[in-house]
Amino acid sequence: METMGREIIRRLLRSRWWQVALAALAVPLLVYAFSTGPPSEHTGGFNEPTCNECHVGTPLNGGAGSVVITAPSTYASGQTYPITVRVSDPNTTQRRWGFELSARTQNGQQAGSLVPTNNQTQLLPTFNGIQYISHTSLGTRAGTTQGVNFTFNWQAPNVTAGPVVFHAAGNAANNSGTEVGDHIYTTSATVQPEVLGPPPDVLEGGIVEAATFKLHPNPVAPGSIVAIFGTNLTNGSSADHSAFGADGKLLTELAGAQVTFNGFRAPLYAAFAGALSQLNVQVPFEVAGAASASVQVTVAGQSSVPRTVFLDAVSPNIFMVLAAGPTQGAILNASDAALAAPAGSIPGARPARRGQDILVIFCNGLGAVTPPLATGAPANSHTTVQPVTVLIDGVNVTPDFAGLTPTLVGLYQVNVRLPASTRTGNDISVVLQIGVKQSNLATIAVLP
């Protein structure tokens, strides 16, 4: 019985009637499938077939309409650009629309990424490593005459990929329920990479802690602020301040520049263009425990030669206000935020008062804090893990607070009450100490 059943099936499949029936059934199935998106690899580019492989009755590009790609003339590495594909036909019998597009390098490799941005476009299955984007069923906009626009995004590859070629096939269909009488059009557009300027170059020894600019090989501490000097470290623009991103952390790209320490992205405070460029960045906490870090700056897809900076768990330094004197520290009187400097040295400055004023010492490199804080995140109530002492005119004083400045990123402060026994003068020394490590010597002015 089973053998008889198989024989009947074989005869049926060999019969002309069965082949005709299958063909009849295939037409509406294909119409339905293509209205929701064509098969991949049908843009006409790189010897691919086009949609008129199935949509017949009119020669390729034989109608009065067209398909047009609107894309940028040039692209920058990793940037996102809107792309528009317009399919149009003046023949009012054409009342349904579709397209398919790819983005490839001149040697046929995938170039960047295609990204749908609405419910009228979709990604088709990747074929041989190539992305294809097409219409959705909603995107065909049945009943519409004259033509429609399809919009989506394209994220560009690195400019070293060279020229990028978009190939598109468009279908101006007559919405008849068959593939007969549809008009298929093809086109292409080439986008050139932006011309690369000289690559960024970090000076040998040009990575220094930001409070004193002590030169290499002076180590820097994870979480601290450093300055990076070199050439072509920005895209030609400057940014004297940064901002917080959607993640609540300081931006890791500024003026086109990105910085990494051992591969970890560093938040940027400021970026200055010029013959000698400068970037102010935070050393990522993630490099803690390493003896050194390899630092690279990347601009427009080009990276600098790696430079080495030495690391230490702590590297205490007091910020200076050189405008008020060669050794004047960034040390404020807490009661009125006046710089503890000789009166008249800069506007608003006044000497500290013995036994009365609490000094706020702004500093760098005090190391790990508790509770731990993510790189680039603003501080709240984070104190140093290692104890800090203050030497005021050589006298050891225990501070009231040592930690990160609330609401800011990477800036440390130490609060200490000025002892009543401190001598008066414009050259009172202030030094921070963590274990055996001491900061630079800064000075303040003190009155009785």
Side-chain angles (χ1 to χ4, degrees), residues 211 318-332 339 341 345-346 442:
I318 299 173
F319 282 93
M320 308 298 288
V321 183
L322 299 181
T327 58
Q328 175 63 49
I331 303 172
L332 307 183
L339 186 70
S345 58
I346 64 170

Side-chain angles (χ1 to χ4, degrees), residues 427-443:
D427 61 346
I428 308 305
S429 65
V430 178
V431 175
L432 301 181
Q433 184 164 326
I434 303 176
V436 297
K437 295 182 174 67
Q438 288 190 340
S439 72
N440 57 310
L441 184 150
T443 60

Side-chain angles (χ1 to χ4, degrees), residues 117-201:
T117 56
N118 54 48
N119 58 9
Q120 296 175 352
T121 61
Q122 63 181 334
L123 288 178
L124 298 175
T126 299
F127 187 86
N128 286 338
I130 305 300
Q131 273 189 324
Y132 296 89
I133 193 167
S134 80
H135 59 275
T136 62
S137 178
L138 184 64
T140 63
R141 283 162 278 188
T144 304
T145 60
Q146 305 302 313
V148 299
N149 291 342
F150 297 95
T151 60
F152 47 92
N153 283 345
W154 172 62
Q155 185 176 25
N158 190 291
V159 291
T160 56
V164 173
V165 184
F166 293 98
H167 284 101
N171 183 3
N174 59 16
N175 203 24
S176 65
T178 71
E179 278 73 43
V180 178
D182 297 341
H183 297 171
I184 304 300
Y185 304 103
T186 57
T187 191
S188 66
T190 300
V191 181
Q192 299 291 336
E194 286 187 353
V195 177
L196 293 176
D201 182 37

Side-chain angles (χ1 to χ4, degrees), residues 13-104:
L13 290 175
R14 286 199 301 267
S15 71
R16 178 64 180 168
W17 175 87
W18 183 255
Q19 294 172 19
V20 172
L22 279 178
L25 288 171
V27 169
L29 287 174
L30 288 172
V31 173
Y32 180 78
F34 293 175
S35 71
T36 57
S40 302
E41 201 191 17
H42 278 69
T43 67
F46 294 92
N47 298 315
E48 288 180 357
T50 65
C51 302
N52 78 328
E53 186 179 57
C54 295
H55 297 267
V56 297
T58 303
L60 180 64
N61 295 312
S66 64
V67 56
V68 176
I69 302 169
T70 302
S73 57
T74 62
Y75 72 89
S77 297
Q79 295 299 305
T80 298
Y81 300 93
I83 306 295
T84 299
V85 174
R86 177 165 181 79
V87 184
S88 61
D89 197 305
N91 189 337
T92 56
T93 61
Q94 312 310 118
R95 305 176 64 83
R96 199 163 193 171
W97 314 89
F99 84 103
E100 183 176 312
L101 175 139
S102 65
R104 284 177 274 195

Side-chain angles (χ1 to χ4, degrees), residues 413-425:
Q413 72 177 63
V414 175
N415 300 347
V416 62
R417 185 175 294 276
L418 185 63
S421 59
T422 305
R423 71 180 178 90
T424 61

Side-chain angles (χ1 to χ4, degrees), residues 170-258:
N171 183 3
N174 59 16
N175 203 24
S176 65
T178 71
E179 278 73 43
V180 178
D182 297 341
H183 297 171
I184 304 300
Y185 304 103
T186 57
T187 191
S188 66
T190 300
V191 181
Q192 299 291 336
E194 286 187 353
V195 177
L196 293 176
D201 182 37
V202 176
L203 295 179
E204 185 74 47
I207 306 165
V208 296
E209 70 88 21
T212 63
F213 289 4
K214 288 180 180 177
L215 298 178
H216 182 81
N218 184 74
V220 300
S224 63
I225 304 170
V226 301
I228 301 174
F229 293 96
T231 56
N232 308 308
L233 299 186
T234 77
N235 58 9
S237 64
S238 294
D240 60 5
H241 65 279
S242 188
F244 292 102
D247 60 358
K249 299 175 184 177
L250 206 63
L251 297 176
T252 56
E253 181 173 336
L254 209 59
Q258 299 175 3

